[in-house]
Amino acid sequence: MRIYTLASYTYGPILGLFAFGIFTKKQVYDKYIPLVAIASPILCYILQRNSEAWLNGYQISYELLIINALFTFLGLCLFIKNKTKKHLTQLILQNKK
């Protein structure tokens, strides 16, 4: 059980990054990826430690890997690059020429 829990904390962000890359073709701000990859296991740890109190006695165990990957996926969605900013910058540069 302890090995699986450790694997859930380490492989969750990897699975989330992989899923984000496969299912979306969006670009994210690179400097925030390590922040998301570290924050996700921390949030999972807090959730796992308090799950009994917050979820009416339910104890999170094997689903921790999926929850961790979901936190990573959603965290990356927060930092998707906005193409309109790039487009506006290109228009401004073209108008200066």
Side-chain angles (χ1 to χ4, degrees):
M1 178 72 176
R2 290 182 187 214
I3 291 175
Y4 183 78
T5 303
L6 180 64
S8 296
Y9 285 116
T10 56
Y11 289 117
I14 296 170
L15 181 61
L17 286 165
F18 177 76
F20 187 84
I22 292 293
F23 294 123
T24 69
K25 298 301 176 197
K26 306 285 185 181
Q27 292 183 352
V28 296
Y29 293 104
D30 294 338
K31 63 183 177 182
Y32 296 113
I33 293 174
L35 176 70
V36 171
I38 292 170
S40 178
I42 292 171
L43 289 173
C44 280
Y45 179 78
I46 293 168
L47 181 63
Q48 186 182 28
R49 291 294 170 200
N50 297 305
S51 66
E52 288 186 56
W54 293 348
L55 303 174
N56 295 327
Y58 184 75
Q59 223 176 4
I60 294 175
S61 60
Y62 292 117
E63 61 274 3
L64 187 64
L65 176 67
I66 301 301
I67 295 169
N68 199 349
L70 182 65
F71 281 159
T72 303
F73 190 94
L74 294 175
L76 290 173
C77 288
L78 293 174
F79 297 110
I80 291 175
K81 287 184 180 178
N82 193 354
K83 288 187 177 185
T84 58
K85 289 180 185 176
K86 182 184 262 186
H87 181 66
L88 289 174
T89 306
Q90 289 174 350
L91 285 174
I92 292 169
L93 292 175
Q94 287 175 352
N95 287 337
K96 286 185 179 181
K97 291 179 182 180

